[in-house]
Amino acid sequence: MTAVLDWPVEADDAPGTALWTASDIAAATGGAVVGGDFAVSGCAIDSREVMEGDLFIALPGEAADGHRFVDGAFLRGAAGALVSQAAVHPHVRVADTVAALDALGHAARARLLPEARVIGVTGSAGKTGVKEALFAALDRSSRGQAHRSVKSYNNHVGVPLSLARMPARSRYGIFEMGMNHAGELATLTQLVRPHVAVVTTIAPAHIGHFSGEAAIAAAKAEIFQGLQPGGTAIIPADSPHVALLAQVAGRHAAHVIRFGTAAGADVRLIDALPAVQGGTLVTAEFGAVAGGPRKLCYTVSQPGAHWVVNSLAVMAAVAAAGGDLGAAGLALAELADLAGRGARHAIVAERGDGSGAALLIDESYNANPASMRVTIAALGTTRAARRLAVLGAMRELGDASDGYHADLAAPLIEAGVDRVVLVGSEMAALAEALGKIATTVLAPTIDFVHVPDAATAAELLGSPDWAPQGGDAILIKGSNSVGLGALVKALTQRTISQGSPNFGKTGPGDN
């Protein structure tokens, strides 16, 4: 008689297959199940984003209370709701849905298996890109068992929501955390409780709320307060605030890893060369990280020197989390464009070089002085018949706003930008700076115009004199509140294939 062998039981078989059951939600939040038990496969706070089987969390809002949209959420397929008011649908009722969301996020973090690793990412720029690259790397090596916060869900609502969406079987969780005031990250990191905490860079983003960059660095360093025992802090070696970051990290982290180009970096850039198919071929030295001195060569698909340095942070975090560096290298080589953060589109364009196509670089989601400089520099390395920039105002820069805007004149000249559309009242300072340069003998000339808003910029780019032409490369970047995303949408409504093999590649520029 043939023996029947039992299927081996693994540790990750214990968690249920549903994301949450009603009884789980009630236990986590202290609420009461009403209308019978239910199970959900996702979580949403916007009824318009509800998918079949989701939990709809009705949050109070400044403009509208989420409880008004409970019926609509169920029409879209919600399986249950988390509410603080009476409802006719299956739900868990709590006293405060905001507090309940925090509790649900805390419970999601607490139920992870002991071997799971959580990574927190913050910084003045590059947070979302590094988070997405980490997810791609760790999801690849774990065969789909990585989870991350989507979009830029990095605030007091987005972080607990992202945690609540994390399956109990996840081997890796990657969470972006943002702030614009001191104390915010201290709260968020206690929810995430990372094993690895990454600071991408320090720059004068939101400096209007701080006394200076050192204060921003101190606020970013709050992320280390949530590090778990034995945790690792990853900090930018090239930052002038590296000593401050290292000092704070040393209080909370068992290991501090510095990444960058500086001689003392633990993960250090050795070489960066343009790759044949675009992007950059990177050679990095890992020092004592990941088992001893070694060198690693990999390709970064995303253009720009900032992505080269960001990739070092990604590799350091993968090593610290026990991930596969080989898989991480492959993920970086195949990393897709990020909407609003460097996505490249081929758009229909007449005249010009006769190719019928122009390159649009979408950086419309956010902007600060540091990210403006690196993306303008990346535009300067992009092959194009003409280089154009549509630059929106940088917000929350306080009393130094005029100076930060005016200082963009030099990077524009260095990048060989031919035409610039300046959007928003704050850009008056840059318009003045460019105007002064135009009067200087032998100075490079930049054709520029200053408009009040994104709608006017769209009208301008639709006119014969300013419409994109074949062979152009067009950078669109500004603070999200300027609304340049609508301009990107308008220009990309008539997209085409990616054109010639060299279309939009980085390399020696052709003016």
Side-chain angles (χ1 to χ4, degrees):
M1 185 175 183
T2 304
V4 178
L5 299 179
D6 290 335
W7 190 266
V9 177
E10 303 290 343
D12 63 0
D13 289 336
T17 55
L19 179 64
W20 296 102
T21 64
S23 55
D24 291 335
I25 297 167
T29 63
V33 179
V34 180
D37 201 11
F38 57 84
V40 300
S41 54
C43 299
I45 59 174
D46 187 332
S47 62
R48 296 166 296 184
E49 297 179 357
V50 167
M51 300 182 68
E52 191 76 28
D54 275 356
L55 172 72
F56 176 62
I57 304 169
L59 298 178
E62 295 180 3
D65 191 324
H67 291 86
R68 292 173 49 192
F69 307 103
V70 170
D71 290 343
F74 277 88
L75 285 174
R76 293 185 63 86
L82 182 61
V83 298
S84 61
Q85 300 175 14
V88 298
H89 307 281
H91 64 274
V92 173
R93 185 162 181 178
V94 294
D96 182 341
T97 52
V98 174
L101 175 58
D102 276 358
L104 200 60
H106 182 82
R109 172 65 181 85
R111 70 181 181 178
L112 285 178
L113 296 169
E115 61 269 26
R117 287 295 174 264
V118 175
I119 303 174
V121 181
T122 192
S124 300
K127 295 185 294 295
T128 301
V130 167
K131 178 257 297 180
E132 290 295 324
L134 279 168
F135 171 74
L138 296 171
D139 199 53
R140 189 184 193 110
S141 63
S142 66
R143 299 184 180 182
Q145 289 186 292
H147 171 81
R148 94 294 205 184
S149 47
V150 298
K151 301 180 183 178
S152 288
Y153 283 14
N154 61 19
N155 63 8
H156 65 287
V157 174
V159 170
L161 176 63
S162 298
L163 284 163
R165 289 171 165 174
M166 179 167 57
R169 298 167 184 262
S170 300
R171 287 179 56 190
Y172 298 101
I174 307 101
F175 299 93
E176 178 181 338
M177 288 178 270
M179 66 90 201
N180 56 22
H181 289 84
E184 289 179 288
L185 278 177
T187 299
L188 296 178
T189 193
Q190 294 300 338
L191 270 175
V192 174
R193 292 184 291 133
H195 300 95
V196 180
V198 181
V199 176
T200 59
T201 189
I202 302 298
H206 311 295
I207 200 167
H209 301 303
F210 294 91
S211 59
E213 276 195 22
I216 293 175
K220 294 294 185 184
E222 292 172 10
I223 192 174
F224 304 134
Q225 296 176 21
L227 275 170
Q228 297 304 282
T232 300
I234 297 174
I235 60 177
D238 302 312
S239 171
H241 308 288
V242 63
L244 185 157
L245 293 170
Q247 181 182 34
V248 178
R251 300 177 197 149
H252 306 281
H255 312 282
V256 179
I257 297 175
R258 297 164 177 82
F259 69 91
T261 63
D266 303 291
V267 177
R268 184 173 66 89
L269 178 68
I270 297 176
D271 200 9
L273 298 170
V276 175
Q277 298 299 322
T280 308
L281 184 65
V282 175
T283 303
E285 187 172 48
F286 279 71
V289 178
R294 66 161 117 179
K295 294 179 182 177
L296 188 65
C297 187
Y298 56 90
T299 299
V300 179
S301 65
Q302 301 300 307
H306 58 298
W307 259 108
V308 172
V309 177
N310 284 348
S311 77
L312 302 176
V314 171
M315 287 298 197
V318 168
D324 185 329
L325 289 175
L330 292 173
L332 284 167
E334 298 173 358
L335 191 64
D337 290 340
L338 304 176
R341 293 181 170 85
R344 295 189 164 210
H345 305 274
I347 63 172
V348 173
E350 299 176 354
R351 299 182 295 165
D353 66 0
S355 65
L359 170 67
L360 187 150
I361 305 169
D362 176 14
E363 286 275 0
S364 61
Y365 188 81
N366 209 348
N368 61 54
S371 65
M372 276 286 199
R373 285 177 172 270
V374 296
T375 50
I376 290 170
L379 176 63
T381 64
T382 301
R383 291 192 180 101
R386 298 187 310 172
R387 298 186 185 95
L388 290 76
V390 181
L391 303 182
M394 300 179 289
R395 300 278 161 82
E396 299 184 5
L397 295 180
D399 294 339
S401 178
D402 283 353
Y404 283 122
H405 283 87
D407 285 347
L408 296 178
L412 287 167
I413 291 171
E414 291 167 9
V417 176
D418 300 286
R419 312 188 89 185
V420 182
V421 179
L422 306 174
V423 186
S425 59
E426 295 91 336
M427 278 292 175
L430 178 53
E432 182 179 355
L434 290 173
K436 289 179 179 178
I437 291 172
T439 64
T440 304
V441 178
L442 300 180
T445 58
I446 297 179
D447 192 8
F448 70 92
V449 64
H450 182 205
V451 299
D453 51 42
T456 309
E459 292 177 7
L460 182 70
L461 291 175
S463 68
D465 289 343
W466 281 85
Q469 295 183 9
D472 286 351
I474 308 141
L475 168 66
I476 299 181
K477 185 169 182 65
S479 290
N480 193 39
S481 58
V482 178
L484 293 181
L487 175 59
V488 171
K489 184 177 180 180
L491 290 173
T492 57
Q493 282 179 341
R494 294 174 59 201
T495 57
I496 60 175
S497 63
Q498 285 300 309
S500 64
N502 289 327
F503 188 78
K505 302 297 184 183
T506 56
D510 301 317
N511 287 314

